[in-house]
Amino acid sequence: MTADIIIYHNPECGTSRNALALIRNAGIEPHVVEYLKTPPSRALLEQLIERADMNPRDLLREKGTPYAELGLDDADLGDDALVDAMMAHPVLINRPLVITSRGVKLCRPSEAVLDILPARQLGAFAKEDGEQVVDADGNRVQA
């Protein structure tokens, strides 16, 4: 299936790998953007945050980033300062961020991608840790 889907992906992240695999399990080969190598422009990042109905703080990643060293936990920091930090340190952008015709979503947990995929799952899917999220008929397994 051809669909215009973009995933801002980090191949070192299990959640990101699982979301990518779920997209492919729907028979779709997305445009994969390794955002640490090719970060979005500031204008695009701000647009994605808005389209996902988020604010910049919602997209900030704390774990394994310079979040604490940069003092990003300061509640007085405005949106511009948070976006500035993400532009200077793309690792602060949480992932995977997925764009489809049905919306933009931060897919944490990875099965959140199912909410915006334009196609059904083609078969069973289990995450890397073995958790079954799609059954053999392509239906989401409810936890």
Side-chain angles (χ1 to χ4, degrees):
M1 171 181 218
T2 302
D4 195 19
I5 293 180
I6 300 167
I7 179 171
Y8 284 88
H9 176 63
N10 179 349
E12 301 299 316
C13 172
T15 301
S16 195
R17 289 191 305 269
N18 283 321
L20 177 57
L22 279 161
I23 295 167
R24 289 176 171 156
N25 196 50
I28 300 167
E29 186 53 41
H31 301 282
V32 178
V33 178
E34 289 190 33
Y35 73 96
L36 294 177
K37 294 179 182 177
T38 311
S41 68
R42 182 186 188 92
L44 179 57
L45 181 61
E46 290 174 333
Q47 180 187 66
L48 293 173
I49 290 168
E50 182 178 327
R51 287 179 60 200
D53 196 28
M54 302 171 73
N55 64 59
R57 189 163 297 283
D58 295 333
L59 192 59
L60 272 177
R61 181 169 178 81
E62 295 179 35
K63 184 179 172 188
T65 73
Y67 177 90
E69 298 90 85
L70 295 172
L72 298 176
D73 56 346
D74 181 349
D76 291 333
L77 286 175
D79 290 351
D80 285 341
L82 298 176
V83 172
D84 288 344
M86 286 187 266
M87 294 309 303
H89 307 277
V91 72
L92 288 165
I93 301 170
N94 215 339
R95 74 278 180 155
L97 194 59
V98 179
I99 300 105
T100 77
S101 60
R102 295 181 64 197
V104 177
K105 190 169 188 80
L106 175 61
C107 296
R108 299 190 76 79
S110 56
E111 58 270 26
V113 74
L114 297 172
D115 297 337
I116 61 169
L117 284 180
R120 287 183 44 81
Q121 295 289 286
L122 300 177
F125 181 84
K127 293 198 249 183
E128 291 178 0
D129 67 3
E131 180 187 351
Q132 194 75 33
V133 294
V134 177
D135 67 21
D137 295 323
N139 298 311
R140 189 175 190 162
V141 174
Q142 300 302 321

